[in-house]
PDB file of all heavy atoms in Angstrom:
ATOM      1  N   ASP A   1       5.668  -4.701  -5.506  1.00  0.00           N
ATOM      2  CA  ASP A   1       5.056  -5.841  -6.171  1.00  0.00           C
ATOM      3  C   ASP A   1       4.111  -6.522  -5.198  1.00  0.00           C
ATOM      4  O   ASP A   1       3.253  -7.308  -5.620  1.00  0.00           O
ATOM      5  CB  ASP A   1       6.173  -6.824  -6.664  1.00  0.00           C
ATOM      6  CG  ASP A   1       6.949  -6.172  -7.854  1.00  0.00           C
ATOM      7  OD1 ASP A   1       6.389  -5.453  -8.590  1.00  0.00           O
ATOM      8  OD2 ASP A   1       8.083  -6.539  -8.015  1.00  0.00           O
ATOM      9  N   SER A   2       4.356  -6.302  -3.888  1.00  0.00           N
ATOM     10  CA  SER A   2       3.470  -7.011  -2.931  1.00  0.00           C
ATOM     11  C   SER A   2       2.606  -6.010  -2.186  1.00  0.00           C
ATOM     12  O   SER A   2       3.191  -5.094  -1.565  1.00  0.00           O
ATOM     13  CB  SER A   2       4.351  -7.761  -1.872  1.00  0.00           C
ATOM     14  OG  SER A   2       3.774  -8.140  -0.719  1.00  0.00           O
ATOM     15  N   ILE A   3       1.377  -6.260  -2.256  1.00  0.00           N
ATOM     16  CA  ILE A   3       0.475  -5.274  -1.491  1.00  0.00           C
ATOM     17  C   ILE A   3       0.619  -5.452  -0.046  1.00  0.00           C
ATOM     18  O   ILE A   3       0.488  -4.422   0.638  1.00  0.00           O
ATOM     19  CB  ILE A   3      -1.004  -5.659  -1.915  1.00  0.00           C
ATOM     20  CG1 ILE A   3      -2.020  -4.491  -1.444  1.00  0.00           C
ATOM     21  CG2 ILE A   3      -1.531  -6.902  -1.390  1.00  0.00           C
ATOM     22  CD1 ILE A   3      -1.645  -3.166  -2.109  1.00  0.00           C
ATOM     23  N   ASN A   4       1.047  -6.506   0.468  1.00  0.00           N
ATOM     24  CA  ASN A   4       1.325  -6.596   1.981  1.00  0.00           C
ATOM     25  C   ASN A   4       2.510  -5.790   2.369  1.00  0.00           C
ATOM     26  O   ASN A   4       2.438  -5.144   3.457  1.00  0.00           O
ATOM     27  CB  ASN A   4       1.636  -8.119   2.236  1.00  0.00           C
ATOM     28  CG  ASN A   4       0.566  -8.967   2.094  1.00  0.00           C
ATOM     29  OD1 ASN A   4      -0.663  -8.589   2.216  1.00  0.00           O
ATOM     30  ND2 ASN A   4       0.744 -10.314   1.875  1.00  0.00           N
ATOM     31  N   GLU A   5       3.483  -5.635   1.543  1.00  0.00           N
ATOM     32  CA  GLU A   5       4.663  -4.735   1.830  1.00  0.00           C
ATOM     33  C   GLU A   5       4.166  -3.320   1.828  1.00  0.00           C
ATOM     34  O   GLU A   5       4.516  -2.449   2.707  1.00  0.00           O
ATOM     35  CB  GLU A   5       5.829  -4.978   0.919  1.00  0.00           C
ATOM     36  CG  GLU A   5       6.529  -6.283   1.155  1.00  0.00           C
ATOM     37  CD  GLU A   5       7.628  -6.491   0.078  1.00  0.00           C
ATOM     38  OE1 GLU A   5       8.180  -5.502  -0.429  1.00  0.00           O
ATOM     39  OE2 GLU A   5       7.925  -7.659  -0.210  1.00  0.00           O
ATOM     40  N   ALA A   6       3.307  -2.929   0.898  1.00  0.00           N
ATOM     41  CA  ALA A   6       2.894  -1.541   0.786  1.00  0.00           C
ATOM     42  C   ALA A   6       1.935  -1.243   2.016  1.00  0.00           C
ATOM     43  O   ALA A   6       2.111  -0.180   2.546  1.00  0.00           O
ATOM     44  CB  ALA A   6       2.032  -1.437  -0.523  1.00  0.00           C
ATOM     45  N   GLU A   7       1.132  -2.234   2.468  1.00  0.00           N
ATOM     46  CA  GLU A   7       0.304  -1.944   3.561  1.00  0.00           C
ATOM     47  C   GLU A   7       1.102  -1.783   4.845  1.00  0.00           C
ATOM     48  O   GLU A   7       0.827  -0.998   5.706  1.00  0.00           O
ATOM     49  CB  GLU A   7      -0.709  -3.188   3.707  1.00  0.00           C
ATOM     50  CG  GLU A   7      -1.880  -3.177   2.777  1.00  0.00           C
ATOM     51  CD  GLU A   7      -2.764  -2.167   2.909  1.00  0.00           C
ATOM     52  OE1 GLU A   7      -2.782  -1.392   3.881  1.00  0.00           O
ATOM     53  OE2 GLU A   7      -3.713  -2.006   2.010  1.00  0.00           O
ATOM     54  N   TRP A   8       2.238  -2.573   4.956  1.00  0.00           N
ATOM     55  CA  TRP A   8       3.128  -2.456   6.125  1.00  0.00           C
ATOM     56  C   TRP A   8       3.678  -1.074   6.154  1.00  0.00           C
ATOM     57  O   TRP A   8       3.677  -0.461   7.217  1.00  0.00           O
ATOM     58  CB  TRP A   8       4.194  -3.559   6.097  1.00  0.00           C
ATOM     59  CG  TRP A   8       5.123  -3.497   7.213  1.00  0.00           C
ATOM     60  CD1 TRP A   8       6.346  -2.900   7.212  1.00  0.00           C
ATOM     61  CD2 TRP A   8       4.831  -3.903   8.543  1.00  0.00           C
ATOM     62  NE1 TRP A   8       6.874  -2.877   8.524  1.00  0.00           N
ATOM     63  CE2 TRP A   8       6.043  -3.556   9.303  1.00  0.00           C
ATOM     64  CE3 TRP A   8       3.787  -4.468   9.244  1.00  0.00           C
ATOM     65  CZ2 TRP A   8       6.108  -3.826  10.633  1.00  0.00           C
ATOM     66  CZ3 TRP A   8       3.885  -4.720  10.546  1.00  0.00           C
ATOM     67  CH2 TRP A   8       5.044  -4.405  11.249  1.00  0.00           C
ATOM     68  N   ASP A   9       4.249  -0.605   5.051  1.00  0.00           N
ATOM     69  CA  ASP A   9       4.929   0.617   5.087  1.00  0.00           C
ATOM     70  C   ASP A   9       3.890   1.838   5.268  1.00  0.00           C
ATOM     71  O   ASP A   9       4.181   2.720   6.009  1.00  0.00           O
ATOM     72  CB  ASP A   9       5.656   0.910   3.814  1.00  0.00           C
ATOM     73  CG  ASP A   9       6.963   0.204   3.710  1.00  0.00           C
ATOM     74  OD1 ASP A   9       7.389  -0.520   4.721  1.00  0.00           O
ATOM     75  OD2 ASP A   9       7.674   0.337   2.744  1.00  0.00           O
ATOM     76  N   LYS A  10       2.728   1.654   4.796  1.00  0.00           N
ATOM     77  CA  LYS A  10       1.689   2.577   4.964  1.00  0.00           C
ATOM     78  C   LYS A  10       1.248   2.705   6.507  1.00  0.00           C
ATOM     79  O   LYS A  10       1.165   3.755   7.091  1.00  0.00           O
ATOM     80  CB  LYS A  10       0.377   2.286   4.283  1.00  0.00           C
ATOM     81  CG  LYS A  10      -0.764   3.342   4.431  1.00  0.00           C
ATOM     82  CD  LYS A  10      -2.001   2.863   3.753  1.00  0.00           C
ATOM     83  CE  LYS A  10      -3.116   3.843   4.016  1.00  0.00           C
ATOM     84  NZ  LYS A  10      -3.506   4.009   5.366  1.00  0.00           N
ATOM     85  N   SER A  11       1.353   1.497   7.196  1.00  0.00           N
ATOM     86  CA  SER A  11       0.963   1.523   8.629  1.00  0.00           C
ATOM     87  C   SER A  11       2.113   2.235   9.376  1.00  0.00           C
ATOM     88  O   SER A  11       1.855   2.863  10.400  1.00  0.00           O
ATOM     89  CB  SER A  11       0.762   0.136   9.116  1.00  0.00           C
ATOM     90  OG  SER A  11       1.936  -0.737   9.184  1.00  0.00           O
ATOM     91  N   LEU A  12       3.366   2.002   8.930  1.00  0.00           N
ATOM     92  CA  LEU A  12       4.474   2.756   9.620  1.00  0.00           C
ATOM     93  C   LEU A  12       4.191   4.286   9.494  1.00  0.00           C
ATOM     94  O   LEU A  12       4.449   4.987  10.505  1.00  0.00           O
ATOM     95  CB  LEU A  12       5.793   2.411   9.048  1.00  0.00           C
ATOM     96  CG  LEU A  12       6.267   0.994   9.260  1.00  0.00           C
ATOM     97  CD1 LEU A  12       7.537   0.602   8.453  1.00  0.00           C
ATOM     98  CD2 LEU A  12       6.536   0.709  10.641  1.00  0.00           C
ATOM     99  N   LEU A  13       3.876   4.666   8.349  1.00  0.00           N
ATOM    100  CA  LEU A  13       3.683   6.089   8.188  1.00  0.00           C
ATOM    101  C   LEU A  13       2.474   6.676   8.931  1.00  0.00           C
ATOM    102  O   LEU A  13       2.494   7.663   9.549  1.00  0.00           O
ATOM    103  CB  LEU A  13       3.519   6.414   6.650  1.00  0.00           C
ATOM    104  CG  LEU A  13       4.785   6.154   5.818  1.00  0.00           C
ATOM    105  CD1 LEU A  13       4.456   6.606   4.366  1.00  0.00           C
ATOM    106  CD2 LEU A  13       5.982   6.906   6.287  1.00  0.00           C
ATOM    107  N   ASP A  14       1.385   5.875   8.962  1.00  0.00           N
ATOM    108  CA  ASP A  14       0.244   6.209   9.775  1.00  0.00           C
ATOM    109  C   ASP A  14       0.509   6.408  11.155  1.00  0.00           C
ATOM    110  O   ASP A  14       0.160   7.259  11.916  1.00  0.00           O
ATOM    111  CB  ASP A  14      -0.942   5.218   9.592  1.00  0.00           C
ATOM    112  CG  ASP A  14      -1.554   5.191   8.172  1.00  0.00           C
ATOM    113  OD1 ASP A  14      -1.282   6.145   7.449  1.00  0.00           O
ATOM    114  OD2 ASP A  14      -2.235   4.229   7.894  1.00  0.00           O
ATOM    115  N   GLY A  15       1.344   5.393  11.685  1.00  0.00           N
ATOM    116  CA  GLY A  15       1.877   5.511  13.106  1.00  0.00           C
ATOM    117  C   GLY A  15       2.672   6.673  13.410  1.00  0.00           C
ATOM    118  O   GLY A  15       2.667   7.088  14.618  1.00  0.00           O
ATOM    119  N   ALA A  16       3.332   7.268  12.357  1.00  0.00           N
ATOM    120  CA  ALA A  16       4.125   8.439  12.697  1.00  0.00           C
ATOM    121  C   ALA A  16       3.320   9.723  12.410  1.00  0.00           C
ATOM    122  O   ALA A  16       4.006  10.752  12.350  1.00  0.00           O
ATOM    123  CB  ALA A  16       5.389   8.379  11.719  1.00  0.00           C
ATOM    124  N   GLY A  17       2.063   9.483  12.105  1.00  0.00           N
ATOM    125  CA  GLY A  17       1.195  10.696  11.919  1.00  0.00           C
ATOM    126  C   GLY A  17       1.314  11.335  10.524  1.00  0.00           C
ATOM    127  O   GLY A  17       0.972  12.443  10.193  1.00  0.00           O
ATOM    128  N   ILE A  18       1.789  10.506   9.540  1.00  0.00           N
ATOM    129  CA  ILE A  18       1.989  11.052   8.180  1.00  0.00           C
ATOM    130  C   ILE A  18       0.873  10.435   7.345  1.00  0.00           C
ATOM    131  O   ILE A  18       0.656   9.165   7.288  1.00  0.00           O
ATOM    132  CB  ILE A  18       3.289  10.567   7.638  1.00  0.00           C
ATOM    133  CG1 ILE A  18       4.395  11.193   8.416  1.00  0.00           C
ATOM    134  CG2 ILE A  18       3.474  10.920   6.046  1.00  0.00           C
ATOM    135  CD1 ILE A  18       5.849  10.625   8.055  1.00  0.00           C
ATOM    136  N   TYR A  19       0.136  11.317   6.602  1.00  0.00           N
ATOM    137  CA  TYR A  19      -0.921  10.817   5.785  1.00  0.00           C
ATOM    138  C   TYR A  19      -0.412  10.042   4.613  1.00  0.00           C
ATOM    139  O   TYR A  19       0.517  10.579   3.924  1.00  0.00           O
ATOM    140  CB  TYR A  19      -1.789  11.929   5.212  1.00  0.00           C
ATOM    141  CG  TYR A  19      -2.856  11.567   4.155  1.00  0.00           C
ATOM    142  CD1 TYR A  19      -4.026  10.911   4.611  1.00  0.00           C
ATOM    143  CD2 TYR A  19      -2.608  11.587   2.821  1.00  0.00           C
ATOM    144  CE1 TYR A  19      -4.945  10.430   3.729  1.00  0.00           C
ATOM    145  CE2 TYR A  19      -3.485  11.127   1.927  1.00  0.00           C
ATOM    146  CZ  TYR A  19      -4.627  10.579   2.245  1.00  0.00           C
ATOM    147  OH  TYR A  19      -5.547  10.110   1.372  1.00  0.00           O
ATOM    148  N   ALA A  20      -0.885   8.830   4.359  1.00  0.00           N
ATOM    149  CA  ALA A  20      -0.336   8.104   3.176  1.00  0.00           C
ATOM    150  C   ALA A  20      -1.499   7.213   2.584  1.00  0.00           C
ATOM    151  O   ALA A  20      -2.462   6.929   3.411  1.00  0.00           O
ATOM    152  CB  ALA A  20       0.680   7.052   3.625  1.00  0.00           C
ATOM    153  N   MET A  21      -1.415   6.847   1.391  1.00  0.00           N
ATOM    154  CA  MET A  21      -2.391   6.053   0.774  1.00  0.00           C
ATOM    155  C   MET A  21      -1.759   5.204  -0.269  1.00  0.00           C
ATOM    156  O   MET A  21      -0.620   5.450  -0.645  1.00  0.00           O
ATOM    157  CB  MET A  21      -3.608   6.914   0.116  1.00  0.00           C
ATOM    158  CG  MET A  21      -3.181   7.727  -1.003  1.00  0.00           C
ATOM    159  SD  MET A  21      -4.780   8.574  -1.720  1.00  0.00           S
ATOM    160  CE  MET A  21      -5.202   7.367  -2.891  1.00  0.00           C
ATOM    161  N   ILE A  22      -2.460   4.089  -0.646  1.00  0.00           N
ATOM    162  CA  ILE A  22      -1.917   3.261  -1.622  1.00  0.00           C
ATOM    163  C   ILE A  22      -2.715   3.404  -2.874  1.00  0.00           C
ATOM    164  O   ILE A  22      -3.936   3.149  -2.955  1.00  0.00           O
ATOM    165  CB  ILE A  22      -1.854   1.786  -1.219  1.00  0.00           C
ATOM    166  CG1 ILE A  22      -1.059   1.614   0.123  1.00  0.00           C
ATOM    167  CG2 ILE A  22      -1.416   0.799  -2.206  1.00  0.00           C
ATOM    168  CD1 ILE A  22      -1.113   0.316   0.802  1.00  0.00           C
ATOM    169  N   ARG A  23      -2.066   3.638  -4.002  1.00  0.00           N
ATOM    170  CA  ARG A  23      -2.734   3.675  -5.354  1.00  0.00           C
ATOM    171  C   ARG A  23      -2.460   2.310  -5.918  1.00  0.00           C
ATOM    172  O   ARG A  23      -1.507   1.589  -5.791  1.00  0.00           O
ATOM    173  CB  ARG A  23      -2.018   4.689  -6.208  1.00  0.00           C
ATOM    174  CG  ARG A  23      -2.345   6.093  -5.905  1.00  0.00           C
ATOM    175  CD  ARG A  23      -1.816   7.073  -6.983  1.00  0.00           C
ATOM    176  NE  ARG A  23      -2.036   8.332  -6.631  1.00  0.00           N
ATOM    177  CZ  ARG A  23      -1.232   9.385  -7.104  1.00  0.00           C
ATOM    178  NH1 ARG A  23      -0.196   9.104  -7.893  1.00  0.00           N
ATOM    179  NH2 ARG A  23      -1.471  10.652  -6.640  1.00  0.00           N
ATOM    180  N   ASN A  24      -3.480   1.974  -6.791  1.00  0.00           N
ATOM    181  CA  ASN A  24      -3.391   0.721  -7.567  1.00  0.00           C
ATOM    182  C   ASN A  24      -3.481  -0.502  -6.622  1.00  0.00           C
ATOM    183  O   ASN A  24      -2.971  -1.599  -7.064  1.00  0.00           O
ATOM    184  CB  ASN A  24      -2.092   0.580  -8.459  1.00  0.00           C
ATOM    185  CG  ASN A  24      -1.922   1.653  -9.470  1.00  0.00           C
ATOM    186  OD1 ASN A  24      -2.908   2.316  -9.799  1.00  0.00           O
ATOM    187  ND2 ASN A  24      -0.652   2.005  -9.776  1.00  0.00           N
ATOM    188  N   GLU A  25      -4.048  -0.447  -5.549  1.00  0.00           N
ATOM    189  CA  GLU A  25      -4.097  -1.531  -4.551  1.00  0.00           C
ATOM    190  C   GLU A  25      -4.720  -2.742  -5.096  1.00  0.00           C
ATOM    191  O   GLU A  25      -4.149  -3.859  -5.090  1.00  0.00           O
ATOM    192  CB  GLU A  25      -4.751  -1.034  -3.353  1.00  0.00           C
ATOM    193  CG  GLU A  25      -4.740  -1.916  -2.133  1.00  0.00           C
ATOM    194  CD  GLU A  25      -5.226  -1.439  -0.826  1.00  0.00           C
ATOM    195  OE1 GLU A  25      -5.747  -0.217  -0.837  1.00  0.00           O
ATOM    196  OE2 GLU A  25      -5.095  -2.085   0.156  1.00  0.00           O
ATOM    197  N   ILE A  26      -5.918  -2.532  -5.652  1.00  0.00           N
ATOM    198  CA  ILE A  26      -6.637  -3.697  -6.100  1.00  0.00           C
ATOM    199  C   ILE A  26      -6.034  -4.240  -7.440  1.00  0.00           C
ATOM    200  O   ILE A  26      -5.912  -5.428  -7.673  1.00  0.00           O
ATOM    201  CB  ILE A  26      -8.091  -3.303  -6.357  1.00  0.00           C
ATOM    202  CG1 ILE A  26      -8.783  -3.161  -4.951  1.00  0.00           C
ATOM    203  CG2 ILE A  26      -8.794  -4.420  -7.104  1.00  0.00           C
ATOM    204  CD1 ILE A  26     -10.166  -2.590  -5.095  1.00  0.00           C
ATOM    205  N   MET A  27      -5.616  -3.323  -8.391  1.00  0.00           N
ATOM    206  CA  MET A  27      -5.091  -3.734  -9.592  1.00  0.00           C
ATOM    207  C   MET A  27      -3.796  -4.477  -9.404  1.00  0.00           C
ATOM    208  O   MET A  27      -3.583  -5.386 -10.209  1.00  0.00           O
ATOM    209  CB  MET A  27      -4.899  -2.453 -10.503  1.00  0.00           C
ATOM    210  CG  MET A  27      -6.154  -1.748 -10.836  1.00  0.00           C
ATOM    211  SD  MET A  27      -7.427  -2.701 -11.588  1.00  0.00           S
ATOM    212  CE  MET A  27      -6.886  -2.754 -13.179  1.00  0.00           C
ATOM    213  N   SER A  28      -2.970  -4.097  -8.431  1.00  0.00           N
ATOM    214  CA  SER A  28      -1.715  -4.721  -8.245  1.00  0.00           C
ATOM    215  C   SER A  28      -1.843  -6.203  -7.810  1.00  0.00           C
ATOM    216  O   SER A  28      -1.056  -6.986  -8.000  1.00  0.00           O
ATOM    217  CB  SER A  28      -0.761  -3.996  -7.377  1.00  0.00           C
ATOM    218  OG  SER A  28      -1.320  -3.900  -6.022  1.00  0.00           O
ATOM    219  N   ALA A  29      -3.000  -6.404  -7.100  1.00  0.00           N
ATOM    220  CA  ALA A  29      -3.299  -7.751  -6.664  1.00  0.00           C
ATOM    221  C   ALA A  29      -3.918  -8.646  -7.819  1.00  0.00           C
ATOM    222  O   ALA A  29      -3.713  -9.875  -7.676  1.00  0.00           O
ATOM    223  CB  ALA A  29      -4.272  -7.711  -5.481  1.00  0.00           C
ATOM    224  N   MET A  30      -4.417  -7.976  -8.803  1.00  0.00           N
ATOM    225  CA  MET A  30      -5.098  -8.716  -9.910  1.00  0.00           C
ATOM    226  C   MET A  30      -4.090  -9.130 -10.905  1.00  0.00           C
ATOM    227  O   MET A  30      -4.359 -10.171 -11.601  1.00  0.00           O
ATOM    228  CB  MET A  30      -6.225  -7.902 -10.442  1.00  0.00           C
ATOM    229  CG  MET A  30      -7.446  -7.840  -9.442  1.00  0.00           C
ATOM    230  SD  MET A  30      -8.763  -6.757 -10.106  1.00  0.00           S
ATOM    231  CE  MET A  30      -8.935  -7.302 -11.664  1.00  0.00           C
ATOM    232  N   TYR A  31      -3.166  -8.199 -11.264  1.00  0.00           N
ATOM    233  CA  TYR A  31      -2.271  -8.428 -12.448  1.00  0.00           C
ATOM    234  C   TYR A  31      -1.037  -9.161 -12.026  1.00  0.00           C
ATOM    235  O   TYR A  31      -0.672  -9.024 -10.801  1.00  0.00           O
ATOM    236  CB  TYR A  31      -1.941  -7.175 -13.057  1.00  0.00           C
ATOM    237  CG  TYR A  31      -3.208  -6.590 -13.831  1.00  0.00           C
ATOM    238  CD1 TYR A  31      -4.057  -5.722 -13.285  1.00  0.00           C
ATOM    239  CD2 TYR A  31      -3.462  -6.986 -15.164  1.00  0.00           C
ATOM    240  CE1 TYR A  31      -5.163  -5.221 -14.061  1.00  0.00           C
ATOM    241  CE2 TYR A  31      -4.511  -6.572 -15.812  1.00  0.00           C
ATOM    242  CZ  TYR A  31      -5.393  -5.642 -15.245  1.00  0.00           C
ATOM    243  OH  TYR A  31      -6.551  -5.253 -16.002  1.00  0.00           O
ATOM    244  N   PRO A  32      -0.297  -9.716 -12.931  1.00  0.00           N
ATOM    245  CA  PRO A  32       1.051 -10.325 -12.585  1.00  0.00           C
ATOM    246  C   PRO A  32       2.059  -9.265 -12.127  1.00  0.00           C
ATOM    247  O   PRO A  32       1.925  -8.055 -12.287  1.00  0.00           O
ATOM    248  CB  PRO A  32       1.497 -10.858 -13.930  1.00  0.00           C
ATOM    249  CG  PRO A  32       0.347 -11.042 -14.801  1.00  0.00           C
ATOM    250  CD  PRO A  32      -0.607  -9.936 -14.305  1.00  0.00           C
TER     251      PRO A  32
END
């Protein structure tokens, strides 16, 4: 529900060398 939490976990995966991306990033920030 929080884009900040999604970004944090993505950064953990990036740091471990695992490709990750976030879907619905902008939409999740716009909608309730």
